[in-house]
Amino acid sequence: MTPPSKEQLQSKYSDFDLDGDGEVTELEIEHAEKMVELELREEKLEAQKYMAWSAIVIMCVTTIFLFTPFIPDSRVNHLSDLLGLFYFAMCGIVGTYMGATAFMHRTKLTK
């Protein structure tokens, strides 16, 4: 197996060359690493927000569905313990998201 040529290495890392001088410095690599880290953090926050909103919607839909005549009262009574755990878990997801968001916002303000 042959090592990659200089042209291949340059094309692989050419996106990191911010000043266009043909050389990738450590500062440019650090900048690229920070940008990738910020993008990953933003994707993580978006996924967490989507999960919290999904939990809220699922709780609302479940509640509405339980009050329709499609589900007999006896079945709801039998599932009451399970439904309590379900709502507790969904509220835990939403509460954790809100608490973490408030904590992160507060730490940004104090810096």
Side-chain angles (χ1 to χ4, degrees), residues 68-85:
T68 61
F70 302 119
I71 307 283
D73 291 340
S74 62
R75 180 167 282 179
V76 174
N77 289 336
H78 290 301
L79 294 174
S80 64
D81 291 336
L82 184 63
L83 289 171
L85 292 173

Side-chain angles (χ1 to χ4, degrees), residues 7-108:
E7 291 82 22
Q8 289 173 332
L9 286 176
Q10 286 177 346
S11 65
K12 182 177 178 181
Y13 297 108
S14 62
D15 294 338
F16 301 137
D17 187 16
L18 299 176
D19 55 5
D21 63 354
E23 292 184 18
V24 180
T25 63
E26 279 190 39
L27 183 63
E28 292 170 330
I29 291 175
E30 287 176 15
H31 179 67
E33 287 174 349
K34 287 180 184 178
M35 291 302 294
V36 168
E37 182 181 329
L38 286 173
E39 288 172 2
L40 290 175
R41 189 180 311 162
E42 185 177 333
E43 287 177 14
K44 180 181 175 184
L45 292 174
E46 285 296 317
Q48 289 172 345
K49 181 170 62 171
Y50 178 74
M51 185 171 37
W53 275 107
S54 298
I56 291 171
V57 169
I58 289 170
M59 283 190 300
C60 292
V61 169
T62 302
T63 303
I64 292 168
F65 188 69
L66 287 173
F67 283 105
T68 61
F70 302 119
I71 307 283
D73 291 340
S74 62
R75 180 167 282 179
V76 174
N77 289 336
H78 290 301
L79 294 174
S80 64
D81 291 336
L82 184 63
L83 289 171
L85 292 173
F86 168 75
Y87 283 108
F88 187 72
M90 293 294 119
C91 289
I93 291 171
V94 174
T96 302
Y97 170 74
M98 292 178 146
T101 304
F103 178 76
M104 289 178 1
H105 182 69
R106 184 171 181 222
T107 57
K108 284 181 185 178

